[in-house]
Amino acid sequence: VNSINLSNKSNCNHRRRKQYQSLPQHVYSECIARLESSNIPHSVAFVVRNLLDARHGDFCGDETYTTLEDVRLDLQLMFQFPSRFLDNIQTNPMPQLSACNKLYGRELDIKMLEQSYQLHADGKCSGVIIRGRAGVGKSKLAMHVRELAAPNSYFLVAKFGQNKDVFPLATIGTAFNQLCDIFFREATHSQLTLVEEGLESSLGTQAALLAGVLPSLVKLMPSCTGLSPSTSCVDSAMSMRFLFSELLGVISSHSGHISILLDDLQFADPASLLLIESLILSIEGNSKSVFFICCYRDDEVNV
């Protein structure tokens, strides 16, 4: 049985590396900096750097040359195959991949969605329901409404998650909080004044209850910070549905068109579902201003 004594070989390499003359650190650093900033081929730069690294002796890297024969072999390959070793492969700038937003194979669905939106513009439709299995493109189809809406329109998204019992109304609350922020940022001074007066009239002292769910309400109704929520209401859940509906009604009367996407409704908690029903019913008399898009997985809902 043949044996290979690695310790002997290591000692041999050790003796070879000891033969290299030490290079001062500042000189070495300057050489590396010039090497990296030069335009010489990567392979030649690699050879030079490995030769410079030999100054570290026992602490040099595994790729550092230990014999002149190794250097000669690499240089011979560059001489014989210059197109392979001396032509740099350009990796920058990195290629960019862009995905188009066009929907393919959904012409009929898009047409039905556009017809529903047109009925909504005529005051005959307050929303549309999109159902199907997971991954079929419900959300993507619903986002097509963005292209149908006017430039000054608002598009809100409330996407429910599986933790539906943890924070009831949290998902819808986030969307309405965003609505308050957008309106405050884009509305004129006169619009803000009218909305503030309308909210003070319709919400009253109960605005403090809604502000506990929508922190941005204070931007539209600063007076709600000094109010204390009434404790005389019999059904707080019903009061909350009324307050949300009044808020949507007041803002939509003085803002651009509002589209609200309610996604993954199969995960919605019961309180949120009752709130959605109340919101849709509340805008029936003013259906031109708010459009609801409701998406859910029909294979995960017991009808």
Side-chain angles (χ1 to χ4, degrees):
V1 179
N2 294 330
S3 63
I4 301 177
N5 192 338
L6 297 179
S7 61
N8 292 337
K9 185 175 182 180
S10 176
N11 291 335
C12 182
N13 291 339
H14 173 74
R15 288 192 298 271
R16 291 194 186 101
R17 291 179 179 177
K18 284 291 186 179
Q19 295 173 1
Y20 289 103
Q21 185 178 0
S22 178
L23 187 68
Q25 178 62 36
H26 71 280
V27 177
Y28 172 81
S29 300
E30 183 179 354
C31 292
I32 295 299
R34 291 183 178 182
L35 186 65
E36 292 177 348
S37 61
S38 64
N39 294 322
I40 64 176
H42 298 323
S43 299
V44 176
F46 179 80
V47 171
V48 175
R49 180 159 191 161
N50 282 342
L51 289 172
L52 292 173
D53 285 343
R55 65 183 284 271
H56 295 294
D58 293 340
F59 301 99
C60 62
D62 294 336
E63 296 178 344
T64 304
Y65 294 115
T66 58
T67 66
L68 290 176
E69 181 64 18
D70 294 335
V71 181
R72 189 192 68 80
L73 289 176
D74 281 352
L75 294 177
Q76 184 67 27
L77 288 173
M78 296 180 196
F79 179 77
Q80 293 179 349
F81 307 101
S83 61
R84 187 181 304 176
F85 293 101
L86 296 181
D87 293 342
N88 290 338
I89 300 176
Q90 299 296 331
T91 57
N92 290 315
M94 297 297 291
Q96 297 181 354
L97 177 63
S98 60
C100 64
N101 294 322
K102 185 177 180 180
L103 289 170
Y104 293 94
R106 291 301 183 96
E107 289 77 11
L108 180 60
D109 296 329
I110 293 176
K111 183 177 181 180
M112 294 176 62
L113 181 62
E114 293 176 347
Q115 290 175 348
S116 298
Y117 195 82
Q118 183 59 46
L119 290 173
H120 161 68
D122 297 336
K124 300 177 182 179
C125 177
S126 57
V128 63
I129 297 176
I130 304 175
R131 59 187 179 90
R133 295 180 177 273
V136 298
K138 302 182 297 298
S139 302
K140 189 68 175 179
L141 179 62
M143 295 297 289
H144 182 66
V145 173
R146 279 181 179 269
E147 303 178 13
L148 305 177
N152 62 337
S153 300
Y154 303 159
F155 191 90
L156 308 175
V157 179
K159 187 176 180 65
F160 293 89
Q162 297 188 31
N163 57 340
K164 56 184 178 182
D165 296 327
V166 180
F167 301 108
L169 304 183
T171 302
I172 298 181
T174 301
F176 271 71
N177 204 58
Q178 182 184 6
L179 174 61
C180 294
D181 289 333
I182 296 175
F183 183 79
F184 178 77
R185 184 172 62 249
E186 300 184 0
T188 63
H189 178 72
S190 60
Q191 287 176 317
L192 290 173
T193 302
L194 291 173
V195 166
E196 181 180 359
E197 294 174 353
L199 292 177
E200 290 177 348
S201 175
S202 59
L203 302 184
T205 59
Q206 291 301 313
L209 179 63
L210 187 60
V213 182
L214 308 178
S216 294
L217 178 64
V218 69
K219 297 180 179 180
L220 306 182
M221 186 181 173
S223 60
C224 70
T225 56
L227 300 176
S228 298
S230 175
T231 58
S232 60
C233 59
V234 178
D235 190 338
S236 59
M238 184 177 296
S239 297
M240 190 64 72
R241 293 196 293 270
F242 170 79
L243 295 172
F244 267 95
S245 299
E246 289 296 308
L247 173 63
L248 180 61
V250 172
I251 294 180
S252 62
S253 298
H254 302 283
S255 69
H257 182 269
I258 302 173
S259 296
I260 303 177
L261 169 58
L262 303 168
D263 202 3
D264 281 338
L265 281 174
Q266 73 278 356
F267 296 136
D269 57 276
S272 295
L273 292 176
L274 289 175
L275 175 56
I276 292 171
E277 179 184 5
S278 178
L279 291 173
I280 295 176
L281 292 175
S282 68
I283 55 97
E284 280 192 344
N286 190 23
S287 59
K288 290 185 178 182
S289 58
V290 183
F291 186 69
F292 289 91
I293 312 105
C294 303
C295 301
Y296 72 94
R297 302 174 186 175
D298 55 1
D299 58 333
E300 299 184 21
V301 175
N302 296 324
V303 182

